[in-house]
Structures are given as C-alpha cells and as structure tokens.
Amino acid sequence: MATSYSVTHFPSFSKTLRCPLYPVISKLSLTFKPSSKSLKLRAVLSEKATTVTNDAPATRFQHCFSKSKDFLYCEGVKVQDILDSVEQRPFYLYSKPQISRNFEAYREALEGLKSIIGYAIKANNNLKILEHLRQLGCGAVLVSGNELKLALRAGFDPTRCIFNGNGKLLEDLVLAAQEGVFVNVDSEFDLNNIVLAARIAGKKVNVLLRINPDVDPQVHPYVATGNKNSKFGIRNEKLLWFLDAVKSHPNELKLVGAHCHLGSTITKVDIFTDAAILMVNYIDQIRAQGFDIQYLNIGGGLGIDYHHSGAVLPTPMDLINTVRDLVLSRDLNLIIEPGRSLIANTCCLVNHVIGVKTNGTKNFIVVNGSMAELIRPSLYGAYQHIELVSPPPPNAEVSTFDVVGPVCESADFLGKDRELHTPDKGAGLVVHDAGAYCMSMASTYNLKMRPPEYWVQDDGTVAKIRHGETFEDHIRYFEGL
C-alpha cells in the first residue's frame, strides 16, 4: 500500500508526495500546477512499440535548464521543488522535451538525404528514454548482446539497428543475424564469427566494414577511436583481404556499406569531412570490386559545451553539411550514430550537500553523490558544470571548492577548483550535462546503490523513469546460494 504524506516547505507551497516505500509497479505522479504548486509523482510504465508524431518547438536549441533569481529550473519547473519531493538520495533529472529538441535538430539536418539516425545506446540505456527516441524515429547502435535485447524490448526496428564492437560474442551475433541487424566487421576473427552466426541462424547478414581511417579527432585519448593506435576497425592495407573474404562467403554475408568512428567530444566538423573523403574513396574501391555498397556510416562523437562558456560549437546541421555533397555524389544512405549530442545536455545529477570542510589548504563541499553515480571526472578528468539549485544563504562567501563525494577514494570528486557560494547543509547541488556516460557507467562501489531517475515531461509533470536500487536488491543476488 502506498504511503501518502504532506510536507510544507514554504508558506505558499503545499507539496504532496505519494510514493511507496518499496516501489514495484506503483503509479506515481509529480504534477506542477501554476496555482497550487502541488507535486505528485508517477512512475512511467513500459509502453508498447508504437510510432508517434513529434511536434518540435520552433526554437531547436532552447535549453531545458535555466536560472531565475538564483533558482534553477528545468523546463520551467523549479528543481528545488522536485528535490524536496522525491527520495532523499542522489538522482538524475532529465528533460523529455530537450531530448525531442535534440533529435529534431538531427532530423532537420538530414532532410534531403537517405539516412538512419542510430542512437548509441551505450550513452544512456534507460528503457523509457529508448522508447521515446524510438517513437521519434531513431534507430539504435549496439555494442553488446544485452543492448541488442534492450533495443528489441524498446521496440526498435532491427533493420535500423547497427551492431558495433571489437569483441562481439557468437551468441549475440546469432541473435543479430536472426533479427536482421546490420553488423560491422571489425577484424578477421570477427568476420569468422559473423559467418558462423549466419550459418547457425540460417540468415544472410548485412555487414559493413569498419575501416580505421587513421584520423586524429583531437580529443582525450580514452575517447579516440579512429586513429592507428585504436583497438577498433580494420587496417586500411587489409581492405582487399577482407573483400576477398566476403566474396568467399556469398551465402552468409552481404557487404552493404563502410563504417568509421573517430571518437567522442569532437568539436571540429572538418575532422568529419576528412574522414568522409577517405571513406568515399574506399567505397569507390569496394564498388570497383563488384560490391553494391549502399551505406556510409560516419559514426558519432559530436561534442557539447560542458564548460557552459557560451562557446559556439558545431551543430548537427554543421556536421551533416560537411558531408552532404559527398554522400549525394555517391548516392549513399548516411548512417550517423549520435549518443552524447542527443542526451548529455538533457540531464543533471541532483545531490544534497552533506557538509563543508577545509583541510587548511583546500575547501571541500561534500555531497551525497559520488564517483559511483557519476565517474566521468574521476575516470578521465572530465569537466561538468556545477551549481546550487537555490539562492545561497544570506552573506554566504564565495570560495574555491572541490566538490567531492563520500566514497573512500581520493579520486572521488565531481569537480575541482569551483567558485561557489558556501552552501548550507542539505542544500541542493547539481552536476550538469549528465545524460551521457554517467548513469550508464554508474556502479555500486562502496555499496552506494544506483540512483533513481526522473524526467520533466512536455506538460510540466515530473515522472519517475527508473527506480533507485536498494540494499535489498543487492542481497537478492545471494539468495539460495
């Protein structure tokens, strides 16, 4: 039975929370009404595979998070109100309309081209987000068998899905073959496994050759995938060997395209141009060998303004315009694989301040979120903008802080050397641009259970889209052993 209770935080606001202590399939709704400011939380249930029409707003890059009188809002909803009304633990907060706006920017950029927008599921694998992107018209890019299963569960058309990876497992390749998914060939052993999977499934597999173009994406080495030192793709000089190998398996393989992926957080679109020129030249060579090449997959990797500096960064339109003429000149279907640029700026990690301390040389804001919930800063020194969700206390001093979590590691930080007002205990603090490679990389280190997720919907209501994990969830893995 759901427990209901009311908490009054300000004289003019009455907030009502209906939330089960241990939710399973409870229906909760968090509704914001201009007159009463009453909050009700509703869990979103999985939906069936249907197609809907997206009426995108006229302003494509209107951002979902904004500040007014030092209060942070998400799509016009005060983040403090949400924070006061949900579980008192770190949580991810998304804007569903921002996801739609980001997708619409790609759809507009691709007008006039035959194309597939393949969302990179590794960036964020929340089922509700996947269902929404599928409804908007996305295909999916997969790097594991479980991501393939999740894409099918979310209703994606398997013939608009691409299976990447340098170590794909045979059983996962069999499922991909059975479902009609595009598969990228990454190595000699990968090709052999795809052939075997095709025989087991009794299906011919549409394959693309993932060619390593040796283009420097000018990004952190951990997210560079298209240079000569990368573990991904086939070497250019081996192209003819792979073409002969494909020819020798006409009953198992149909070569339909070429693929490359340069890296992530790319902010210079001429890098994509350089790669596309190389790739269409390879496609010319492949077609000269008698193959009917229909697809060019240029990967993803477009960066975003993590620093919130107001920098003018390339848009999806800028990216597509750099390769448009090349694609049209070869009458190709363009596949693009956005992940970060579709989902990163739609979300923040919301935390509570546990306390403030100093060691004499460093000041620290300690929050209940950590590297367990959001590891990008600890993993490769990534910068994500941090701010308080509500006005600071009167006369609060501005100081330089490291924002850290409670995990027992010196690497547990969310941001270093940040100029912030000194917050009170319990204040809300957010880490922005947390939609990509944050929740999908979260762990249970120190037994910090993975957090719940919510989104603000088009009508201003807030819904839970993932239950937070509990200690009881952890114990269940050991039952019956």
Side-chain angles (χ1 to χ4, degrees):
M1 178 106 182
T3 302
S4 298
Y5 56 94
S6 297
V7 182
T8 301
H9 302 275
F10 305 101
S12 58
F13 295 99
S14 173
K15 301 184 181 71
T16 301
L17 176 65
R18 290 183 171 87
C19 182
L21 296 178
Y22 299 102
V24 182
I25 56 170
S26 57
K27 287 219 168 192
L28 303 166
S29 170
L30 188 54
T31 305
F32 289 78
K33 297 179 180 179
S35 57
S36 65
K37 304 286 185 178
S38 175
L39 287 73
K40 290 189 290 184
L41 180 67
R42 178 174 57 80
V44 179
L45 301 179
S46 285
E47 54 201 52
K48 295 180 180 179
T50 58
T51 301
V52 299
T53 301
N54 173 49
D55 296 319
T59 304
R60 301 305 177 197
F61 283 96
Q62 167 193 347
H63 199 268
C64 53
F65 291 101
S66 60
K67 265 289 182 73
S68 177
K69 297 180 180 179
D70 285 333
F71 282 101
L72 182 67
Y73 291 82
C74 179
E75 300 291 353
V77 178
K78 192 179 288 186
V79 174
Q80 183 69 54
D81 289 346
I82 303 172
L83 185 145
D84 290 340
S85 304
V86 299
E87 300 168 76
Q88 299 300 290
R89 59 188 291 186
F91 64 91
Y92 282 99
L93 176 65
Y94 299 82
S95 160
K96 187 177 183 181
Q98 185 71 44
I99 297 172
S100 301
R101 289 193 290 267
N102 289 348
F103 174 82
E104 188 63 24
Y106 273 101
R107 178 151 56 191
E108 285 191 347
L110 288 162
E111 284 184 8
L113 295 176
K114 296 175 288 184
S115 63
I116 295 175
I117 303 172
Y119 169 66
I121 287 180
K122 65 178 182 172
N124 188 308
N125 56 33
N126 183 289
L127 177 61
K128 306 313 305 172
I129 291 172
L130 297 185
E131 289 174 340
H132 180 54
L133 287 168
R134 181 262 303 160
Q135 288 179 327
L136 292 173
C138 261
V141 174
L142 327 160
V143 292
S144 73
N146 281 338
E147 286 191 356
L148 171 54
K149 293 172 185 175
L150 188 62
L152 296 174
R153 177 74 63 89
F156 284 94
D157 178 354
T159 65
R160 292 172 57 81
C161 293
I162 303 95
F163 192 9
N164 290 338
N166 67 306
K168 299 183 285 293
L169 301 179
L170 178 59
E171 57 265 35
D172 299 334
L173 287 168
V174 170
L175 177 60
Q178 291 170 339
E179 296 292 338
V181 171
F182 291 105
V183 179
N184 280 331
V185 177
D186 190 87
S187 65
E188 292 90 335
F189 72 79
D190 195 38
L191 184 144
N192 290 334
N193 281 336
I194 297 168
V195 169
L196 182 54
R199 290 172 179 167
I200 294 171
K203 298 279 188 70
K204 184 182 289 190
V205 180
N206 289 324
V207 298
L208 294 85
L209 293 179
R210 178 165 181 170
I211 300 172
N212 187 325
D214 194 17
V215 172
D216 180 9
Q218 301 175 37
V219 296
H220 191 288
Y222 286 10
V223 292
T225 58
N227 57 41
K228 64 182 179 182
N229 295 318
S230 172
K231 69 176 183 176
F232 300 102
I234 66 175
R235 302 193 309 274
N236 305 340
E237 62 268 24
K238 292 281 289 184
L239 178 59
L240 289 178
W241 183 93
F242 278 93
L243 296 180
D244 288 340
V246 172
K247 285 179 182 177
S248 67
H249 298 287
N251 297 323
E252 293 87 9
L253 306 177
K254 181 180 180 181
L255 180 58
V256 297
H259 171 272
C260 72
H261 195 289
L262 306 179
S264 192
T265 69
I266 298 171
T267 57
K268 298 178 180 178
V269 293
D270 57 348
I271 293 170
F272 288 97
T273 308
D274 295 342
I277 291 171
L278 290 172
M279 294 302 295
V280 295
N281 285 333
Y282 291 132
I283 286 173
D284 290 343
Q285 295 177 38
I286 297 169
R287 283 175 168 174
Q289 294 291 319
F291 292 97
D292 180 20
I293 298 299
Q294 306 165 37
Y295 295 91
L296 168 61
N297 186 335
I298 61 169
L302 199 61
I304 67 165
D305 182 14
Y306 277 110
H307 286 264
H308 287 210
S309 63
V312 179
L313 296 180
T315 65
M317 185 69 76
D318 296 327
L319 166 59
I320 301 304
N321 281 345
T322 64
V323 302
R324 186 182 304 276
D325 290 343
L326 284 167
V327 172
L328 290 172
S329 71
R330 302 309 198 276
D331 190 27
L332 291 164
N333 292 268
L334 180 65
I335 300 175
I336 187 145
E337 303 180 347
R340 185 187 315 274
S341 56
L342 273 181
I343 196 69
N345 69 357
T346 71
C347 174
C348 64
L349 175 67
V350 186
N351 310 270
H352 285 90
V353 173
I354 298 174
V356 177
K357 64 176 289 186
T358 181
N359 64 8
T361 58
K362 270 276 190 183
N363 300 317
F364 300 92
I365 297 174
V366 184
V367 299
N368 57 353
S370 69
M371 65 185 292
E373 289 85 7
L374 197 161
I375 199 173
R376 291 185 70 253
S378 301
L379 182 62
Y380 37 69
Y383 179 98
Q384 292 179 235
H385 185 62
I386 292 175
E387 63 181 328
L388 299 174
V389 306
S390 294
N395 304 318
E397 294 184 359
V398 175
S399 297
T400 301
F401 294 96
D402 285 4
V403 179
V404 301
V407 161
C408 192
E409 292 285 345
S410 295
D412 178 27
F413 65 92
L414 299 175
K416 289 192 171 184
D417 298 322
R418 304 302 177 87
E419 298 290 324
L420 293 165
H421 284 92
T422 303
D424 278 342
K425 177 182 178 180
L429 178 148
V430 301
V431 182
H432 280 288
D433 304 309
Y437 305 104
C438 293
M439 183 59 176
S440 66
M441 299 175 76
S443 74
T444 57
Y445 187 48
N446 282 198
L447 275 187
K448 282 180 60 61
M449 311 313 295
R450 280 175 287 210
E453 296 178 286
Y454 304 85
W455 65 13
V456 178
Q457 303 183 103
D458 298 88
D459 61 1
T461 59
V462 178
K464 178 182 277 190
I465 57 173
R466 177 175 173 142
H467 295 303
E469 295 178 6
T470 67
F471 178 74
E472 287 70 23
D473 293 329
H474 179 73
I475 293 299
R476 273 194 285 272
Y477 291 116
F478 305 96
E479 290 178 355
L481 299 181

